[in-house]
Amino acid sequence: MATTREVLARRELHQGLLEPWEHERLAAVKVPGRRDDVLASRLLLRLCVARHTGLPLSACAPAQRCPGCGRAGHGRPYLRGHPGVGLSLSHADGLVAAAVGPGAIGIDVEPAARRPGPLRVLRRLLPEADLREAAALPDPGPALLRLWVRREALLKADHPGPRLLEWADPERSAVAAVACAGPVTVLAPGAAAPAGRPGDPHGAAL
């Protein structure tokens, strides 16, 4: 996990690494800040793939194909020629995150100040018992956000029994979660990386 600015400041991570379809997708984003977030998340994913596989950045381009319509350019990202490697990325308001690991994987990041809702929407997506527990707190906002981030990570992993790790990054005012079928590499700037046990998702300095 990092800020968009931190990723775009790295010289080895540049727009020239993107595939033609990614350039088209990026050009369709009209809000400059959001465009930077999309770019940074895709560059961070390449860096994560390179650290995980040992491949050069130029060989770490993700592919995407929708299982529903069969068209390329959207759907869960994957790495060509590496069917056992799972990829995931996330971006939100100047924050980006990426994760790579064996098997199913999903990652989500959100600004710590964000408050998901309303409750009528959350009830369709989150367990009722968890919602009641969060609602009983003096300030339910942070707990609801953590529930939302976990849910997003699990949905991206699309796996019946992934492991789940969540963490907060006070320096960047962010919360994140990663769901995975096996050990993963989560890129995070220095000490902001989540602490894990052997076999858990682990951080690598950005």
Side-chain angles (χ1 to χ4, degrees), residues 18-170:
L18 268 58
E19 298 285 288
W21 67 269
E22 290 178 294
H23 283 287
E24 293 178 6
R25 185 169 176 178
L26 195 64
V29 182
K30 301 306 180 184
V31 180
R34 181 171 173 80
R35 188 184 308 122
D36 286 347
D37 290 347
V38 173
L39 172 60
S41 67
R42 293 192 165 275
L43 294 175
L44 182 61
L45 181 60
R46 282 165 165 78
L47 182 59
C48 203
V49 170
R51 297 278 182 88
H52 182 80
T53 64
L55 293 169
L57 281 171
S58 58
C60 293
Q64 287 180 260
R65 183 172 295 277
C66 176
C69 69
R71 297 179 61 184
H74 61 288
R76 183 176 294 108
Y78 65 94
L79 188 61
R80 292 187 185 93
H82 299 266
V85 176
L87 311 181
S88 187
L89 69 164
S90 179
H91 56 82
D93 297 344
L95 299 167
V96 292
V100 176
I105 191 168
I107 194 166
D108 192 57
V109 63
E110 295 286 350
R114 179 163 292 171
R115 294 295 177 260
L119 280 176
R120 65 177 181 274
V121 175
L122 296 180
R123 285 194 176 97
R124 297 199 296 264
L125 301 171
L126 301 174
E128 184 64 32
D130 291 341
L131 284 175
R132 285 199 304 269
E133 183 178 347
L137 298 172
D139 178 8
L144 290 172
L145 181 63
R146 289 196 299 272
L147 290 173
W148 179 265
V149 169
R150 292 177 197 169
R151 176 65 173 174
E152 286 291 298
L154 289 167
L155 285 174
K156 291 180 180 181
D158 191 25
H159 190 274
R163 292 181 290 180
L164 186 64
L165 177 71
E166 65 171 288
W167 70 99
D169 185 339

